[in-house]
Amino acid sequence: MNFSLSKAQFFLLLFIIQTGVVYIAFQTPLILGSQTIAWLVFIVASVTHYGLLLFFERNYQYFYLNAFFRWIYQIYWLLLTAILIAYMGYVLASWVLPQTPEWIVVVIIVGLSLYANISRPETVINISVMLLPIIFLFVIFLMLAIPDLTWSNLFPIEWNNKQIIAGMLHSSYAYFGIELYLIYRPFLQKDLQVKGKPLFIYQMVIFSFYFISIIFTQMFFALEEIKLIPEPIMYILKSQEVTFVKRLDIFFVYIWLSWSIVTVMIFGLSFRLLYLKKKRKHPIGSMVVYHILLAILPLFVMEFRSIEWIKNSLHYLFLVFTFLLPIVIICWNKWRGKGVS
């Protein structure tokens, strides 16, 4: 598959992958795990994330996937995307579409992804560019909550090893999908460089985007309240009053939905890139089968207990496929002298 990315397109794809779906909810498990020091733990986790980005940039050419590892990642992305779609359906049912059958929501999301992924790769990329202005509306409207914030909720600072470890684990939700840096980096236009200032700016943008949501959540809710709030960003927005829309939270649920659907599309494009590394007789038929599976699998987990169990367990998968496995593959290929052609 031949296409090229500009520097802006590359970082935008990465930003949407790393923030889509999880942005409205990851604050709760992070704060419950690390208590009042959640914001400090996230700073440490972000430094680790930046170090991993630097490692990936230095060694991306060694991220060569043989047939076995291509299938491993394709299966992982299929299951992960199914989980994300299940969560999207669950949130929509909870906030705006309680009477709509779950399968209808799933079919609409999967149908949009299928349309994008049987078209040219540029379709997904261009949709991502169109989303950028509305995504940052979340941060702008969160600022309306400043008068309701309690700064003392960020203290006391008491370092506890158990809380630090739990916080570091749950911080991985904020940076899931970073392995796609290695998938899309070879498609960057050859004369462009991302190391140095561009990579640092990207890290600061995504860090600030998440960090604001964490400290606002901590300052808006007491710890006991957070236990009862699965999507804290939506609850903060719901409490704000503006003149142009009656329910600000519902307005942002639809923005989040658009953003999340594009995340599903990008995972589909990533699956397509690996699957079509080998010439296939029926590439469109294969993508149709992939999306049929995406329409079926979410229906098995789209209920409260399953969603909560997955939210409390998924970070272990992230650690394996986002951090550990890419590092092992890179080190092994570097030792063997095997790189991406």
Side-chain angles (χ1 to χ4, degrees):
M1 187 181 300
N2 294 319
F3 67 94
S4 62
L5 297 171
S6 68
K7 197 182 301 183
Q9 289 173 329
F10 172 69
F11 281 123
L12 183 58
L13 279 178
L14 198 62
F15 179 85
I16 290 176
I17 277 289
Q18 293 196 260
T19 58
V21 185
V22 301
Y23 178 73
I24 65 170
F26 97 101
Q27 299 86 358
T28 294
L30 170 62
I31 294 170
L32 291 180
S34 49
Q35 303 292 296
T36 56
I37 61 171
W39 60 283
L40 282 174
V41 172
F42 185 75
I43 292 174
V44 176
S46 297
V47 173
T48 304
H49 172 263
Y50 182 53
L52 191 62
L53 280 178
L54 292 174
F55 175 79
F56 283 174
E57 172 58 26
R58 184 183 291 265
N59 299 285
Y60 71 89
Q61 64 272 24
Y62 295 107
F63 191 67
Y64 169 78
L65 297 175
N66 58 26
F68 173 76
F69 282 115
R70 284 203 302 272
W71 276 108
I72 287 292
Y73 268 105
Q74 286 173 81
I75 293 170
Y76 166 64
W77 289 335
L78 171 65
L79 296 177
L80 179 60
T81 306
I83 291 170
L84 298 181
I85 291 173
Y87 181 67
M88 291 161 65
Y90 168 76
V91 171
L92 287 176
S94 302
W95 286 86
V96 294
L97 300 172
Q99 304 301 322
T100 304
E102 296 168 344
W103 66 269
I104 293 180
V105 174
V106 171
V107 167
I108 292 173
I109 294 171
V110 172
L112 291 171
S113 177
L114 175 61
Y115 170 77
N117 278 291
I118 60 175
S119 305
R120 297 184 307 159
E122 289 81 1
T123 301
V124 176
I125 296 165
N126 292 335
I127 292 174
S128 304
V129 173
M130 293 169 59
L131 271 181
L132 186 61
I134 64 174
I135 288 176
F136 285 93
L137 284 177
F138 271 89
V139 175
I140 294 172
F141 279 92
L142 276 178
M143 297 302 167
L144 295 174
I146 288 178
D148 302 318
L149 302 182
T150 304
W151 293 89
S152 59
N153 289 355
L154 300 177
F155 304 97
I157 298 174
E158 298 177 354
W159 293 102
N160 178 292
N161 290 338
K162 184 178 179 180
Q163 292 177 358
I164 293 172
I165 293 171
M168 290 292 288
L169 287 173
H170 288 294
S171 291
S172 64
Y173 277 98
Y175 297 123
F176 92 101
I178 192 179
E179 75 276 5
L180 294 180
Y181 185 101
L182 299 165
I183 299 297
Y184 289 101
R185 180 61 178 84
F187 292 94
L188 195 68
Q189 295 170 13
K190 299 300 181 183
D191 57 336
L192 299 178
Q193 295 292 325
V194 300
K195 62 182 179 181
K197 185 178 178 180
L199 198 59
F200 179 75
I201 292 174
Y202 171 74
Q203 172 61 34
M204 292 306 298
V205 169
I206 195 169
F207 164 74
S208 301
F209 191 67
Y210 271 127
F211 187 69
I212 289 171
S213 74
I214 294 168
I215 60 172
F216 272 55
T217 300
Q218 283 193 258
M219 291 189 292
F220 195 87
F221 302 105
L223 285 175
E224 291 301 316
E225 292 176 315
I226 292 176
K227 294 178 182 179
L228 307 173
I229 300 173
E231 289 87 34
I233 298 301
M234 290 305 173
Y235 279 91
I236 294 175
L237 292 170
K238 183 179 181 180
S239 68
Q240 308 309 309
E241 294 184 2
V242 292
T243 57
F244 65 90
V245 63
K246 187 175 181 180
R247 287 279 303 275
L248 193 60
D249 56 314
I250 293 179
F251 174 72
F252 278 99
V253 163
Y254 286 117
I255 292 178
W256 170 82
L257 176 63
S258 303
W259 177 9
S260 300
I261 289 174
V262 176
T263 302
V264 170
M265 291 178 180
I266 297 173
F267 272 114
L269 177 60
S270 306
F271 180 96
R272 182 180 171 190
L273 287 176
L274 289 193
Y275 187 76
L276 295 182
K277 274 188 176 290
K278 185 177 179 180
K279 191 174 181 180
R280 307 287 180 176
K281 290 184 179 179
H282 307 289
I284 293 179
S286 300
M287 291 307 299
V288 171
V289 171
Y290 167 81
H291 282 85
I292 289 174
L293 291 174
L294 278 187
I296 295 172
L297 293 174
L299 300 178
F300 291 98
V301 295
M302 201 180 294
E303 56 96 23
F304 178 76
R305 290 185 179 179
S306 298
I307 292 292
E308 288 302 305
W309 182 84
I310 290 170
K311 283 171 62 177
N312 292 325
S313 308
L314 203 56
H315 51 276
Y316 295 112
L317 271 182
F318 296 161
L319 290 176
V320 173
F321 288 95
T322 295
F323 295 91
L324 182 60
L325 193 54
I327 292 173
V328 170
I329 292 172
I330 286 172
C331 291
W332 173 252
N333 287 330
K334 194 171 184 179
W335 180 72
R336 294 172 61 222
K338 182 75 171 179
V340 178
S341 59

